[in-house]
Amino acid sequence: TPDAELTALSTAPKGAVAEAFEYLRHGGVHNTENLLRFVADTVLLAGHGFEPPAPLPDVGVYHPALPEGATLDGLLALHDRGRPTVGVVFYRAHLAGGNTAFVDALVEALEAAGANALPVYCYSLRAGEGGAVPALELLKGRVDCLLATVLAGGGSGAADARRAGDPEGWLEWEVPALEELGVPVVQGLCATSSREAWLGSDAGLSPLDTAWQVAIPEFDGRVISVPFSFKETLRDGSPVGAPLTVYRADPERARRVAGLAARLARLARKPNAQKRVALLLSNYPTKHSRVGNAVGLDTPRSAVRLLGAMREAGYRVDGAPEEGDALIHALIAAGGHDLEFLNAEQLAGAVGRLEAGRYAEWFGRLPGELRERVEAHWGPPPGDLYVDGGELVVAGLSFGDVFVGIQPPRGFGENPIAVYHDPDLPPTHHYLAAYWWLIEGFGADAIVHLGKHGTLEWLPGKSLGLSPSCAPDAALRDVPLFYPFVVNDPGEGTQAKRRAHAVVVDHLIPPMTRAETYDDLARLEQLLDEYYQVETLDPSKLPQIEARIWETLRDAELHRDLGVEERPEEFGEFLGHVDGYLCEIKDLPIRGGLHVLGEPPKGEPLRHLVAAMLRLGAGEIPGLRRAVGAAFGLDERALA
């Protein structure tokens, strides 16, 4: 609001002061320019000419090829209808400050990647009183992907993020406006540090950027990309010039972000019958017996079901086995990566093949830092792993437009398992070549890593906010990655989301059951039952049973768990602790099988799983057993 006291102190006419205030109130580059023209003409009689103050809307469209105040229709007229469209959302403050060079770089990169750009500025993606988000209303029905540089739509405190239609319900993080938009949302990272600081950091992003630009937007379901814009301080060199902070884009990183968004946008438009998908199974460690190993997931059966579902959805899947075992045997027969069994005939017949010279040409374009690390460990390209007649070989089978392969191995030497997560060991030439072939040779529109967990997200590089020298970024590039992942390990799933821009599709944990007792534990439990019987009926037999109990207990190594080395003098009292410990062991939840994608457990496995999930309470809500006991007037804690 105008300040009357300050206006009274001005040496300019009050009308000029009021008009100048209007320019400043509306803000923006256009108004700032005309403010200077207005002051020059009004006070100094310069005669430049000026336009009156023009409101800068709270929400609007923008494009570097159009003047300020562009209309949606004017921007849409620039679009090629045969191309997919990517919406770009950025803060109004950047437009008002003329700080849009980073948006311009993103628009240029999107258009170079074959997409239309539809940039929109706004204050935030918070919903208004009616639940609508004005910026997203401009994009609804017009975009195939959204590239956001603003923070999360649910809000930093999520105080308004309750279950839809249930204001008194449990707190939920829901962003209906993004859900209604119905397109992938990519988070374009605008780092608050300089590019130099980012390049020199092993962490990649500061804790503040990690929280605000990665962790919180993940609650919106956004795909995490890489930093493409950095805060730089500019000085004009004059003694009175003030430093100016601007957002400056890294052109290469802008192309990476735009490439991912454009590929996701094309997936929405491309018919399923024309899409090519690579499905990779993990192999940890690199043995035929471990092909398709994944935590809690029956990968062979899941792969077969996934291929069947893709076929029903219109993907061209030809000749794929109908049984999981048959798929694994076919992959092994085609070669695999187990050097103990791999023979020349299998190498010669491999489906995936990449001419070494083509790989070397691509490898030569990688950042020097990454090339040097790879060559220091594995020699010059193409290396000596999985090379056949001057070609690098990729293990897998082609079923029409779907390639089912085995993720290239990462560990070699005396202890291949130990190096799987080595933060310093660069990928082999074969590892990089395998992903190169999937993207360039096979032409994958998307890659699927089936089951926790592969090795790509553990390759060397920054923790998040990857640079072109980071191995996961160099291997995967801008190809969309989809990753079915067990729901109870968000830590490692987050690694895949942040270091490999993965779209994580959570799957159910395997069916759970009670551990019960077996072998020595079962014999020990039986001896305890005998002890309590003879304690009342024939106490003279107690010493013999006590000796057998102590011997069995030591054979099972339970004395170490209970913290005793010598037989306790008060043996009867000690057996009370043994009995309680056996009850705890019996009650432990363990896996009762493996989960299969698309097959929820039924019957007894379902009952066991529900019982395991609900056995413990949450806050004031009691666990299932306590609730059932209370219904019958029993106290679970007293019974335990």
Side-chain angles (χ1 to χ4, degrees):
T1 56
D3 188 312
E5 184 178 357
L6 190 61
T7 301
L9 295 173
S10 176
T11 58
K14 291 183 180 180
V17 173
E19 187 71 0
F21 176 81
E22 287 301 306
Y23 284 108
L24 294 171
R25 183 172 68 86
H26 291 302
V29 175
H30 183 76
N31 282 322
T32 302
E33 176 188 349
N34 281 285
L35 166 64
L36 298 176
R37 290 174 174 271
F38 165 76
V39 172
D41 285 7
T42 303
V43 179
L44 303 178
L45 305 178
H48 293 294
F50 58 88
E51 297 178 13
L56 183 64
D58 292 345
V59 177
V61 298
Y62 167 83
H63 194 283
L66 296 175
E68 188 174 306
T71 64
L72 178 61
D73 289 341
L75 177 50
L76 294 177
L78 299 177
H79 287 180
D80 180 344
R81 294 187 178 181
R83 289 180 157 200
T85 299
V86 176
V88 178
V89 180
F90 65 101
Y91 282 117
R92 180 184 181 275
H94 292 306
L95 181 68
N99 194 15
T100 55
F102 75 105
V103 181
D104 297 348
L106 206 52
V107 170
E108 180 182 354
L110 283 167
E111 293 175 348
N116 300 313
L118 180 48
V120 173
Y121 62 86
C122 62
Y123 278 110
S124 77
L125 292 183
R126 283 289 192 91
E129 292 184 2
V133 178
L136 299 185
E137 291 296 316
L138 289 175
L139 301 175
K140 192 176 294 184
R142 297 185 174 95
V143 297
D144 303 291
C145 180
L146 175 62
L147 211 170
T149 66
V150 301
L151 303 184
S156 59
D160 58 349
R162 295 179 180 272
R163 187 181 299 279
D166 184 10
E168 301 301 325
W170 291 346
L171 287 176
E172 295 283 341
W173 188 288
E174 294 182 345
V175 190
L178 281 178
E179 188 175 342
E180 291 170 10
L181 198 61
V183 300
V185 182
V186 176
Q187 184 72 7
L189 307 182
C190 297
T192 58
S193 63
S194 68
R195 181 176 179 275
E196 182 180 4
W198 164 70
L199 285 174
S201 168
D202 291 335
L205 296 180
S206 68
L208 185 65
D209 281 342
T210 300
W212 286 100
Q213 300 206 53
V214 177
I216 295 177
E218 282 175 338
F219 284 98
D220 285 353
R222 303 187 192 184
V223 180
I224 304 302
S225 65
V226 296
F228 75 97
S229 172
F230 303 89
K231 271 190 177 181
E232 307 290 351
T233 300
L234 304 181
R235 297 179 183 272
D236 64 3
S238 67
V240 296
L244 182 67
T245 300
V246 298
Y247 274 47
R248 178 170 288 176
D250 178 313
E252 188 278 333
R253 292 290 82 185
R255 289 193 294 272
R256 175 67 84 238
V257 175
L260 174 61
R263 282 181 178 267
L264 286 168
R266 278 195 291 273
L267 279 178
R269 289 199 168 199
K270 197 170 189 177
N272 287 347
Q274 298 176 17
K275 293 175 184 173
R276 294 177 70 79
V277 179
L279 178 63
L280 292 187
L281 310 184
S282 60
N283 192 188
Y284 173 78
T286 309
K287 296 290 183 182
H288 282 336
S289 60
R290 303 289 284 180
V291 171
N293 174 55
V295 177
L297 184 69
D298 187 334
T299 311
R301 286 181 60 193
S302 295
V304 167
R305 283 189 58 85
L306 181 57
L307 292 171
M310 292 176 70
R311 187 186 298 111
E312 292 176 5
Y315 291 83
R316 194 168 72 87
V317 183
D318 302 331
E322 298 295 329
E323 298 293 334
D325 287 349
L327 175 64
I328 298 300
H329 286 304
L331 284 169
I332 292 173
H337 294 130
D338 192 335
L339 294 174
E340 184 178 353
F341 299 100
L342 187 62
N343 57 51
E345 182 180 351
Q346 291 172 323
L347 282 172
V351 174
R353 310 186 71 82
L354 173 60
E355 199 275 318
R358 294 186 68 192
Y359 166 74
E361 180 183 351
W362 171 77
F363 180 78
R365 297 196 298 269
L366 292 177
E369 180 185 352
L370 177 59
R371 291 201 314 271
E372 291 170 5
R373 291 203 305 265
V374 173
E375 290 185 336
H377 277 85
W378 309 110
D384 55 5
L385 294 167
Y386 308 102
V387 177
D388 176 58
E391 293 181 310
L392 288 138
V393 171
V394 181
L397 298 167
S398 183
F399 303 118
D401 285 338
V402 178
F403 178 82
V404 179
I406 304 172
Q407 190 174 45
R410 168 148 162 73
F412 295 93
E414 294 182 359
N415 192 352
I417 298 178
V419 300
Y420 259 64
H421 297 89
D422 189 327
D424 299 317
L425 181 69
T428 64
H429 289 292
H430 173 257
Y431 198 108
L432 294 171
Y435 278 91
W436 188 100
W437 182 83
L438 290 174
I439 298 168
E440 300 288 346
F442 176 70
D445 295 299
I447 296 174
V448 178
H449 283 178
L450 188 57
K452 174 198 168 182
H453 62 73
T455 55
L456 178 75
E457 60 269 28
W458 299 97
L459 295 179
K462 299 181 185 300
S463 298
L464 73 163
L466 273 57
S467 76
S469 295
C470 297
D473 186 272
L476 186 60
R477 295 190 266 175
D478 58 11
V479 176
L481 173 64
F482 298 89
Y483 210 146
F485 208 95
V486 66
V487 71
N488 67 344
D489 192 353
E492 295 196 14
T494 297
Q495 182 88 349
K497 289 181 67 174
R498 296 180 180 180
R499 301 193 78 237
H501 60 247
V503 176
V504 172
V505 182
D506 290 318
H507 67 74
L508 196 62
I509 61 174
M512 304 297 289
T513 186
R514 278 166 45 101
E516 300 298 346
T517 54
Y518 54 89
D519 295 340
D520 286 340
L521 297 182
R523 286 192 290 273
L524 184 59
E525 188 175 30
Q526 183 179 2
L527 286 171
L528 287 175
D529 289 340
E530 291 182 18
Y531 178 90
Y532 292 127
Q533 289 177 7
V534 301
E535 186 179 32
T536 303
L537 301 176
D538 191 359
S540 64
K541 295 181 179 179
L542 284 179
Q544 296 177 350
I545 297 178
E546 288 177 356
R548 291 168 58 195
I549 288 176
W550 179 247
E551 180 182 354
T552 304
L553 189 139
R554 288 187 63 87
D555 289 342
E557 298 287 338
L558 287 188
H559 66 294
R560 301 188 187 279
D561 294 354
L562 294 166
V564 294
E565 291 295 334
E566 302 293 334
R567 174 176 167 170
E569 293 183 7
E570 300 294 332
F571 201 75
E573 182 180 340
F574 170 67
L575 290 185
H577 296 298
V578 175
D579 196 8
Y581 188 58
L582 282 178
C583 288
E584 289 182 21
I585 293 177
K586 288 171 61 176
D587 198 38
L588 288 173
I590 62 171
R591 293 178 191 168
L594 293 172
H595 178 65
V596 178
L597 288 182
E599 286 187 9
K602 299 177 182 178
E604 185 174 351
L606 176 59
R607 291 193 292 273
H608 281 299
L609 178 59
V610 172
M613 293 172 66
L614 299 181
R615 64 194 296 267
L616 299 177
E620 298 180 359
I621 301 173
L624 179 63
R625 290 189 299 193
R626 188 188 304 176
V628 171
F632 288 88
L634 302 173
D635 185 342
E636 180 199 26
R637 294 176 179 175
L639 291 173

